[in-house]
Amino acid sequence: MHRFLVFFVVAALAACGSKFDGKPPGTEKNVKVSAVLTRDEAMKLATRGNCIACHKMDDRLAGPGWREVGVRYGSDPKAASLIANHIENGGTFGWNMGYMPMRGGSTLSNAEIDALANYIATLR
Ligand code: HEC
């Protein structure tokens, strides 16, 4: 019985696992993504989520450049989860550049946002 339950949970997790972190989207806040996205993968997500209407990697647009975001958080171990929360909830984060809409107005999943946040946190 116990074994069966464990099997079921593992199978259920595998079934809804995302390409990015292997966990069902939205179930965990402080997801540590095992493999950080490549720049190309990050840009694809940013394009699909239309983040690029307001952001670039290396320069400011309507919002801060993502590299300066990574630099600002430095080696804070909570950087990725803080950034992910900011993207999900929108708002202002001390850049004095205006207000970011929730999820940037996109329909990116939590797992996709976590993956992007993890990538941004590695930029220097
Ligand atoms: C309509 C414009 C707009 C869109 C679209 C947008 N952002 Fe933003 N974003 C902003 C602004 C403005 C800020 C800075 C807010 C401030 O002044 O503190 C910001 C800030 C950020 C930050 C910095 C957070 C921090 O903790 O300092 C990140 C990371 C970010 N955005 C990621 C994204 C991602 C990922 C997307 C796409 C899903 C996105 N943004 C879409 C306008 C936008």
Side-chain angles (χ1 to χ4, degrees):
M1 176 61 192
H2 212 77
R3 249 191 209 173
F4 176 74
L5 250 182
V6 168
F7 172 77
F8 179 76
V9 169
V10 169
L13 280 176
C16 30
S18 111
K19 179 173 164 230
F20 296 106
D21 59 14
K23 302 231 170 66
T27 52
E28 282 192 42
K29 268 284 150 251
N30 301 311
V31 190
K32 190 88 188 128
V33 174
S34 45
V36 172
L37 301 179
T38 63
R39 186 181 169 113
D40 272 7
E41 288 167 337
M43 281 315 294
K44 270 192 195 135
L45 271 183
T47 304
R48 183 148 58 78
N50 205 28
C51 315
I52 56 170
C54 297
H55 291 283
K56 289 175 151 186
M57 287 286 179
D58 301 310
D59 298 294
R60 292 187 166 193
L61 207 54
W66 283 347
R67 194 171 302 283
E68 67 181 322
V69 176
V71 168
R72 182 192 236 189
Y73 281 89
S75 54
D76 182 343
K78 294 206 196 92
S81 62
L82 288 171
I83 293 171
N85 274 311
H86 289 169
I87 298 170
E88 280 169 28
N89 299 320
T92 59
F93 327 109
W95 294 96
N96 292 319
M97 297 185 74
Y99 185 89
M100 172 161 154
M102 204 175 163
R103 295 172 178 274
S106 77
T107 55
L108 292 183
S109 70
N110 286 357
E112 288 167 334
I113 288 175
D114 284 341
L116 264 178
N118 251 279
Y119 176 78
I120 293 167
T122 65
L123 296 174
R124 293 293 179 271

